[in-house]
């Protein structure tokens, strides 16, 4: 594998530079004085920011973008072998690294490399840690899978030897990383277009733990995961647990209460003893447990409790994570990235503590394989809303060779006794919601695709 030397910056080209993770890595290299270029299908806010930093970004992807002065090319799993730039790189014999391989090499340059993994909660927990480290003036370098307003984007380049990033399990990307601390928030069935089943996923997370350096590495893991000891029983590393049960968790919470907008406060318990009160500025019980993981990681890095409390209080969320978009006709519009049944349940549970009359959930399923394999779980989770509207399945990287649609999910939800509508287009969905939502209702658009546009359109129409 090609090795980069941060003391000898070179010319690096990113195929698909506009992705949330790729753009972040490109920014890190720019600030380390590398010459960075890239390409994407179309311009976006992220690519324009890179251009403002001096990157040459080309649209669309083309073989002509692969020039002879490029020393290294970085690509993602989404790039197919017949991509014109990929083909040109192969023909020119230019060294290549995957996004995950580059990220793994970047973190090798830091004393502490904290990787936040799990089927869900990665972006929020990484962002919580970011706020804590900044409150402590620890000057970290951060790569987060969402837009965090306090760092004006999805990456922060610090000058300390502390690095924090999300670690995604899809295509086993996180097995290319070089962590010193691994956080595992949860391990659930997902990405079943790549993994065989839950056992296969658990095996990958076990391999992820094995990436930790012997004796000096740290694993921070939820004790709520079934048979959580499986992941580290053969590994020589420091283990810290967090979770609901204080008897098997180093970090847990009690006396949990909610404010008027569903944000939790709780008494922090460490090793069985009450420590202090923690106040969060994001809603939902699930964020109590995300914060416990962040607290454990911060204390493991020597961060003081006052900075931890201040950082968690400062964290008000990232884009597309229970994000208030505005109102129309007295209806509050929230958007959330949830696209797995457990995430949907956590988000809709949060709605119970948020001001509302009727909770409308407008859900856009993400990928055909996920929808088919978790159909019953989706129906059960979505039935927590008062009324459900389903959009077409967002295909992402897939084609529909499974013969399913959102209509199948709608039938399952109706069978559970819930009011559910499958509506074909965004325009029709917007008209339906304008007609049926009333003053005091809570409307949440949900999914990892482009369903956010529906809520934004309704809010903008309400301003006209």
């Amino acid at each position: 594998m090609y090795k980069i030397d941060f003391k000898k910056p070179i010319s690096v080209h990113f195929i698909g530079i506009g992705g949330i993770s790729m753009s972040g890595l490109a920014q890190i290299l720019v600030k380390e004085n590398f010459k960075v270029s890239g390409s994407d299908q179309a311009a976006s806010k992220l690519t324009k920011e890179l251009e403002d930093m001096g990157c040459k970004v080309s649209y669309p992807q083309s073989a002509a973008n692969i020039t002879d002065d490029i020393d290294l090319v970085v690509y993602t799993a989404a790039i197919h072998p017949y991509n014109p730039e990929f083909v040109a790189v192969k023909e020119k014999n230019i060294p290549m690294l995957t996004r995950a391989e580059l990220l793994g090499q970047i973190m090798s340059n830091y004393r502490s490399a904290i990787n936040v993994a799990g089927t869900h909660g990665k972006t929020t927990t990484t962002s919580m840690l970011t706020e804590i480290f900044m409150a402590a003036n620890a000057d970290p370098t951060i790569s987060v899978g969402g837009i965090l307003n306090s760092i004006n984007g999805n990456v922060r380049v610090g000058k300390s030897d502390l690095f924090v990033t999300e670690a995604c399990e899809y295509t086993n990307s996180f097995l290319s990383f070089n962590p010193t601390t691994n956080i595992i928030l949860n391990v659930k069935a997902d990405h079943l277009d790549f993994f065989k089943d839950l056992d296969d996923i658990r095996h990958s997370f076990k391999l992820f733990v094995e990436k930790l350096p012997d004796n000096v590495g740290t694993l921070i893991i939820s004790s709520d995961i079934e048979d959580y000891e499986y992941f580290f029983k053969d590994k020589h590393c420091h283990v810290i647990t967090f979770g609901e049960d204080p008897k098997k968790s180093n970090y847990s919470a009690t006396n949990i209460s909610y404010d008027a907008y569903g944000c939790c406060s709780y008494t922090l318990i460490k090793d069985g003893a009450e420590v202090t009160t923690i106040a969060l500025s994001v809603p939902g019980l699930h964020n109590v447990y995300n914060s416990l993981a962040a607290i454990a990681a911060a204390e493991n890095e020597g961060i003081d409790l006052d900075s931890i409390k201040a950082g968690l209080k400062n964290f008000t969320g990232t884009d597309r994570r229970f994000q208030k978009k505005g109102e129309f006709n007295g209806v509050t519009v929230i958007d959330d990235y949830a696209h797995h049944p457990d995430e949907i349940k956590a988000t809709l549970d949060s709605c119970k503590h948020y001001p509302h009359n009727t909770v409308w959930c407008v859900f856009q399923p993400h990928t055909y394989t996920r929808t088919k394999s978790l159909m019953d779980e989706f129906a059960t989770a979505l039935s927590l809303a008062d009324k459900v509207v389903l959009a077409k399945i967002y295909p992402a990287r897939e084609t529909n060779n499974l013969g399913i649609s959102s209509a199948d999910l709608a039938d399952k939800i109706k069978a559970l006794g819930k009011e559910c509508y499958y509506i074909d287009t965004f325009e029709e969905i917007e008209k339906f919601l304008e007609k049926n939502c009333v003053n005091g209702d809570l409307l949440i658009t949900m999914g990892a695709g482009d369903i956010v546009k529906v809520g934004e359109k309704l809010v903008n129409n309400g301003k006209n």
Side-chain angles (χ1 to χ4, degrees):
M1 184 191 303
Y2 183 89
K3 298 287 186 182
I4 60 172
D5 184 346
F6 275 68
K7 296 179 181 177
K8 297 178 181 178
I10 58 174
S11 176
V12 182
H13 182 85
F14 289 78
I15 305 177
I17 199 169
I20 190 75
S21 179
M22 289 282 270
S23 64
L25 297 182
Q27 286 189 48
I28 290 174
L29 292 190
V30 168
K31 293 179 180 180
E32 293 289 345
N33 298 313
F34 283 69
K35 180 182 178 183
V36 175
S37 62
S39 62
D40 220 302
Q41 294 303 321
S44 66
K45 181 180 177 182
L46 290 174
T47 58
K48 287 180 191 249
E49 287 176 359
L50 287 167
E51 290 181 274
D52 290 342
M53 295 175 69
C55 298
K56 179 184 177 183
V57 183
S58 302
Y59 316 97
Q61 291 166 356
S62 165
N65 298 330
I66 306 303
T67 54
D68 292 335
D69 61 338
I70 294 173
D71 300 307
L72 173 69
V73 171
V74 181
Y75 66 102
T76 70
I79 301 301
H80 296 285
Y82 50 80
N83 177 284
E85 293 190 13
F86 191 95
V87 172
V89 172
K90 287 291 188 181
E91 289 176 349
K92 291 177 179 286
N93 291 316
I94 299 172
M96 304 180 77
L97 289 175
T98 65
R99 177 203 64 83
E101 288 168 345
L102 174 61
L103 181 52
Q105 290 197 27
I106 287 174
M107 66 181 67
S108 294
N109 289 272
Y110 295 83
R111 174 190 59 82
S112 292
I114 302 173
N115 286 203
V116 183
T119 314
H120 41 266
K122 295 184 290 292
T123 297
T124 294
T125 306
T126 304
S127 299
M128 286 177 169
L129 266 172
T130 299
E131 295 288 1
I132 290 170
F133 288 139
M134 291 197 300
N137 296 315
D139 198 18
T141 295
I142 305 289
S143 177
V144 62
I147 302 301
L148 181 60
N149 289 333
S150 60
I151 61 174
N152 299 313
N154 61 318
V155 68
R156 180 188 191 276
V157 180
K159 295 180 180 178
S160 74
D161 53 7
L162 179 60
F163 183 85
V164 185
T165 187
E166 295 184 31
C168 181
E169 74 278 11
Y170 185 57
T171 67
N172 282 328
S173 290
F174 59 7
L175 300 186
S176 294
F177 296 172
N178 296 294
T180 61
T181 297
N182 280 345
I183 298 173
I184 299 181
L185 301 167
N186 37 66
V187 181
K188 297 288 187 176
D190 198 11
H191 298 304
L192 295 176
D193 57 326
F194 176 78
F195 295 108
K196 297 175 189 174
D197 49 30
L198 179 57
D199 286 341
D200 191 23
I201 297 170
R202 286 172 61 86
H203 177 66
S204 285
F205 274 87
K206 184 175 177 63
L207 294 177
F208 174 60
V209 173
E210 291 177 5
K211 296 290 293 184
L212 289 167
D214 284 335
N215 302 316
V216 295
T218 299
L219 172 65
I220 299 169
I221 187 168
S222 170
S223 59
D224 297 330
I225 299 172
E226 184 177 355
D227 189 20
Y228 68 97
E229 293 175 332
Y230 157 81
F231 298 96
F232 59 84
K233 63 183 177 183
D234 302 317
K235 180 65 181 175
H236 299 291
C237 65
H238 179 44
V239 178
I240 303 171
T241 56
F242 68 94
E244 186 175 350
D245 185 351
K247 293 182 180 179
K248 60 180 182 179
S249 305
N250 298 115
Y251 291 84
S252 58
T254 189
N255 300 324
I256 300 170
S257 61
Y258 297 83
D259 69 11
Y261 291 92
C263 299
C264 290
S265 294
Y266 63 89
T267 301
L268 174 65
I269 298 177
K270 181 179 178 183
D271 297 326
E274 294 187 0
V275 178
T276 189
T277 298
I278 301 292
L280 303 180
S281 298
V282 284
L285 179 62
H286 60 294
N287 279 321
V288 169
Y289 298 101
N290 289 336
S291 71
L292 291 176
I295 293 168
E299 288 209 325
N300 189 56
E301 291 294 329
I303 303 301
D304 64 278
L305 194 55
D306 286 343
S307 294
I308 290 172
K309 293 173 67 172
L312 289 173
K313 188 66 178 175
N314 291 341
F315 176 63
T316 56
T318 54
D319 281 5
R320 302 219 61 204
R321 271 73 177 180
F322 210 89
Q323 180 186 17
K324 183 175 179 179
K325 306 298 289 190
E327 297 181 0
F328 75 96
N329 301 334
V331 178
T332 299
V333 178
I334 302 287
D335 180 65
D336 196 273
Y337 193 70
H339 55 284
H340 183 277
D342 286 353
E343 296 170 336
I344 293 167
K345 181 180 183 302
T347 301
L348 292 177
D349 278 340
S350 299
C351 293
K352 295 176 184 177
H353 302 279
Y354 199 92
H356 70 275
N357 291 329
T358 298
V359 175
W360 290 81
C361 179
V362 184
F363 180 62
Q364 180 186 43
H366 191 263
T367 74
Y368 302 105
T369 52
R370 181 184 284 116
T371 305
K372 182 180 171 87
S373 61
L374 300 174
M375 180 78 73
D376 290 338
E377 292 87 345
F378 275 120
T380 300
L382 288 165
S383 68
L384 292 173
D386 296 314
K387 299 182 181 182
V388 181
V389 177
L390 297 178
K392 277 184 177 179
I393 296 173
Y394 188 84
R397 53 193 172 267
E398 298 181 349
T399 55
N400 188 10
N401 54 12
L402 299 176
I404 64 166
S405 81
S406 292
D408 300 308
L409 179 55
D411 289 341
K412 292 272 188 181
I413 295 170
K414 290 175 184 176
L416 294 174
K418 280 292 177 176
E419 192 173 329
C420 181
Y421 306 87
Y422 168 44
I423 302 177
D424 210 40
T425 69
F426 282 5
E427 183 178 3
E428 291 173 298
I429 291 173
E430 290 156 13
K431 289 179 180 177
F432 176 83
L433 294 171
E434 284 181 323
K435 180 179 179 181
N436 290 279
C437 293
V438 299
N439 187 0
D441 284 355
L442 176 62
L443 169 65
I444 181 160
T445 57
M446 188 182 290
D450 55 354
I451 193 65
V452 60
K453 295 176 181 177
V454 169
E456 291 176 341
K457 184 74 175 294
L458 290 168
V459 169
N460 288 332
N461 287 347
K463 293 176 182 177
N464 296 334

